[in-house]
Amino acid sequence: MSRRRFLRSLAVAPLLPTALSPPPAPPSPAPALPSPTPTIPSPSPSPPGPVAQALGEVVRIRYGAQLEEADLAEVRKGIEDNLQAADRLRKAVKLGNADEPVNLFRPRVAPPPPPAIVRRRRR
């Protein structure tokens, strides 16, 4: 599977937002002051962006016969949430040009040849 195909499959999998969302805070005792609002922006009810609409259209074309309109809307929302989470991750972790996965090169060693059979001549 190529990297591009793998990344395309991630676009329709609505797992990334739950993996990137912070764990729920433990309940705290009744504070005297009101608690501040969370710093992580929640997904807005605004219409999905053009990339999410295009990917949602791909899902509709491929799987429209098996999905109802409510399911398609949920998939589009999941795609938009994934794209927003990817943007947050991209902003949080800055990668340099030299940052890449480790590709460890191990050459395959050929097995040793079988021993030669020595035949003696008869006189």
Side-chain angles (χ1 to χ4, degrees):
M1 179 181 281
S2 69
R3 275 189 252 172
R4 288 182 180 152
R5 190 169 187 181
F6 174 72
L7 291 175
R8 280 188 214 133
S9 67
L10 280 181
V12 293
L15 300 174
L16 193 58
T18 57
L20 294 178
S21 64
S28 60
L33 300 174
S35 63
T37 59
T39 58
I40 297 176
S42 62
S44 62
S46 64
V51 176
Q53 287 177 353
L55 291 173
E57 188 64 19
V58 169
V59 171
R60 186 190 64 78
I61 291 170
R62 283 191 179 177
Y63 308 107
Q66 291 89 12
L67 297 173
E68 295 177 3
E69 191 59 37
D71 296 331
L72 284 172
E74 186 175 336
V75 168
R76 285 185 186 112
K77 182 185 178 306
I79 291 171
E80 180 65 25
D81 291 346
N82 283 343
L83 291 172
Q84 289 176 0
D87 286 339
R88 287 193 308 265
L89 182 63
R90 200 173 293 118
K91 290 175 185 174
V93 180
K94 299 292 183 188
L95 296 178
N97 190 31
D99 296 333
E100 60 183 36
V102 176
N103 294 323
L104 184 61
F105 175 73
R106 291 186 185 159
R108 285 195 279 176
V109 179
I117 298 174
V118 179
R119 297 186 183 193
R120 294 186 182 198
R121 291 178 145 180
R122 291 186 192 194
R123 295 187 195 191

